[in-house]
Amino acid sequence: MNYQNILIVGTGMAGCALVRELRKLNGEIAIRMITQDGGDVYPKPSLSSALRHGKTPDKLIQMSASGFAEKFGVETTTGIRAAAILKTEKKIATLD
């Protein structure tokens, strides 16, 4: 397959899974991830049960955003609120 640069909005379970699968297919393609939050990898569905058991969200972190970026060779930018994907311009509109 012929890949171009890829932008993934969000560093949740789906975004991270997409990176893993893309890397299996192509180790060289440029991948950038953007997220409104800190970008750390943790099981988001576990938040509600973690809070019920008195765990703080930082105790759920499995890998830091920078660790994931380094391991999978992606660029991760945090603190960006995506408002829209502008397909023809090949960019995103942000709220900040």
Side-chain angles (χ1 to χ4, degrees):
M1 294 183 117
N2 183 16
Y3 295 96
Q4 297 179 3
N5 296 339
I6 296 173
L7 173 66
I8 298 172
V9 178
T11 58
M13 291 171 55
C16 291
L18 179 56
V19 167
R20 289 183 188 101
E21 293 304 312
L22 287 169
R23 282 294 174 239
K24 288 179 188 176
L25 297 172
N26 186 318
E28 301 300 319
I29 188 72
I31 301 173
R32 180 177 179 211
M33 301 178 81
I34 62 169
T35 182
Q36 181 177 340
D37 63 21
D40 294 326
V41 178
Y42 62 94
K44 275 77 170 169
S46 299
L47 280 175
S48 58
S49 62
L51 294 174
R52 185 179 66 216
H53 295 301
K55 292 182 180 177
T56 57
D58 61 310
K59 298 291 183 190
L60 298 175
I61 295 173
Q62 297 171 336
M63 187 180 302
S64 68
S66 60
F68 185 86
E70 183 177 330
K71 180 176 181 174
F72 291 98
V74 300
E75 176 188 342
T76 302
T77 306
T78 60
I80 294 181
R81 294 177 61 194
I85 297 172
L86 309 172
K87 290 187 335 181
T88 56
E89 293 90 348
K90 294 186 178 182
K91 59 184 182 178
I92 60 162
T94 62
L95 295 175
D96 297 344

